[in-house]
Amino acid sequence: MIGVFDSGYGGLTVLKEMIHRLPEYDYCYLGDNARTPYGSRSFDTVYRYTRQCVRYLFGQGCRLVVIACNTASAKALRNIQQHDLPSIDPKRRVLGVIRPSVEAIGEHTRTGHVGILGTIGTVQSESYLMEIAKFHPHLRVFQEACPMWVPLVECGEHRQGGADYFVRQHIDRLLRQSAEIDTIVLACTHYPLLSEKIRRFTPAHIRIVEQGRIVTESLYNYLQRHPEIEQTLGKSGKRIFQTSDAPELFDRFAAIFFDWHVRSEKVVFQ
Ligand code: DGL
């Protein structure tokens, strides 16, 4: 199976695109809803939680795991790839969402001024700044942390009027940093759930980039380049959903924005 991991529901915005584009593969989704949000947690905690979840997905039979979470990609991916994988199983692979998003940014901006909206963890890690400096050194990058956005989504408040205040506040703060920003990256997989409001409070000429399709395209390319991994993946269209919190909550909430009915199982970490 292809494992897809997020701190909560956000990774479903990525999995949805994967299932549309690459429906033949078997997927196992894990949402660590009991410990979400990760965005305000320390480096060590995010690393520990993410490593546990990745190991769990390996144990479920995932040869490849996509960390569909920017915070976990920023704070844990490199350590897992460099320090943990060699001892767990060097034949397994873990991919993140930051690199593919950064590679795609260059296609979108004309002014060269790009805004990044993310969690506190993603913004403070400066992962986007560092990666963009490598791939597109001519771009100017402006960041804004939106600590209330993930809790709004996880609590099902993202469509309510009360969310408007927090959405507008962070977009205004980001745009005050540069009048030339023409591209905003939603650098958190939860944020597409707020996209209606984000669009409403963002001037029409600014492009808003979501990660689902970008990460899916990057996965597709990865599988083309790595037949040794691709050939080991199940292709019976199986979908398994797991959550560290209550499955009935997960199923009810996932149905609101995921295109298919979900029946999840509870994960108990050893
Ligand atoms: N979806 C996660 C991300 O992309 C949210 C992190 C959190 O739990 O705060 O960053």
Side-chain angles (χ1 to χ4, degrees):
M1 288 185 287
I2 298 177
V4 179
F5 163 68
D6 181 50
S7 62
Y9 299 109
L12 291 173
T13 63
V14 177
L15 178 62
K16 183 163 92 172
E17 297 298 336
M18 289 178 179
I19 292 177
H20 277 301
R21 171 86 167 87
L22 307 167
E24 66 276 26
Y25 293 105
D26 298 342
Y27 294 96
C28 180
Y29 183 87
L30 171 58
D32 193 6
N33 300 80
R35 301 186 292 197
T36 198
Y38 280 13
S40 42
R41 297 189 191 277
S42 69
F43 181 97
D44 282 349
T45 302
V46 173
Y47 172 43
R48 191 157 41 85
Y49 288 175
T50 305
R51 187 178 48 190
Q52 191 174 37
C53 291
V54 167
R55 270 181 181 273
Y56 182 84
L57 285 167
F58 285 164
Q60 297 295 294
C62 298
R63 178 78 192 272
L64 173 69
V65 172
V66 178
I67 298 184
C69 173
N70 290 265
T71 312
S73 296
K75 293 188 164 187
L77 179 64
R78 185 169 308 163
N79 264 347
I80 290 175
Q81 285 173 331
Q82 293 179 354
H83 301 300
D84 299 307
L85 271 189
S87 58
I88 299 173
D89 181 353
K91 289 210 184 88
R92 298 189 195 244
R93 294 288 176 271
V94 183
L95 306 174
V97 288
I98 296 179
R99 174 70 74 88
S101 308
V102 165
E103 284 174 359
I105 287 172
E107 299 162 17
H108 296 290
T109 176
R110 301 252 176 283
T111 60
H113 286 221
V114 173
I116 304 289
L117 294 170
T119 64
I120 295 176
T122 299
V123 166
Q124 284 181 351
S125 74
E126 301 198 344
S127 297
Y128 274 89
L129 300 184
M130 291 184 284
E131 289 291 319
I132 292 173
K134 268 191 246 159
F135 282 92
H136 312 287
H138 60 288
L139 295 187
R140 292 201 56 195
V141 188
F142 304 88
Q143 303 195 101
E144 169 71 10
C146 316
M148 287 299 290
W149 290 14
V150 170
L152 283 170
V153 170
E154 289 287 324
C155 297
E157 293 292 322
H158 56 293
R159 291 201 179 126
Q160 304 304 320
D164 290 9
Y165 170 81
F166 294 103
V167 172
R168 177 176 234 159
Q169 178 189 50
H170 292 298
I171 291 170
D172 289 351
R173 279 190 198 161
L174 176 70
L175 296 180
R176 273 203 293 273
Q177 296 180 50
S178 162
E180 286 180 65
I181 292 174
D182 69 346
T183 303
I184 292 179
V185 181
L186 302 188
C188 171
T189 54
H190 281 70
Y191 295 175
L193 297 167
L194 287 161
S195 64
E196 237 175 75
K197 289 187 193 291
I198 296 171
R199 187 66 275 176
R200 181 147 39 99
F201 296 121
T202 303
H205 72 279
I206 296 180
R207 192 158 194 172
I208 296 167
V209 178
E210 296 184 11
Q211 298 178 300
R213 291 213 181 124
I214 294 172
V215 173
T216 300
E217 224 31 55
S218 163
L219 173 65
Y220 172 77
N221 290 330
Y222 180 86
L223 295 176
Q224 298 283 306
R225 284 183 280 114
H226 294 276
E228 75 289 0
I229 302 283
E230 202 280 336
Q231 279 156 17
T232 65
L233 299 174
K235 297 179 189 73
S236 57
K238 194 175 8 169
R239 284 87 175 90
I240 294 175
F241 295 89
Q242 312 216 321
T243 173
S244 55
D245 204 3
E248 55 283 8
L249 269 182
F250 186 93
D251 298 353
R252 193 162 8 109
F253 193 66
I256 299 173
F257 60 87
F258 201 54
D259 290 357
W260 301 274
H261 181 70
V262 165
R263 179 160 294 205
S264 61
E265 296 154 14
K266 175 143 178 145
V267 169
V268 181
F269 296 117
Q270 298 303 322

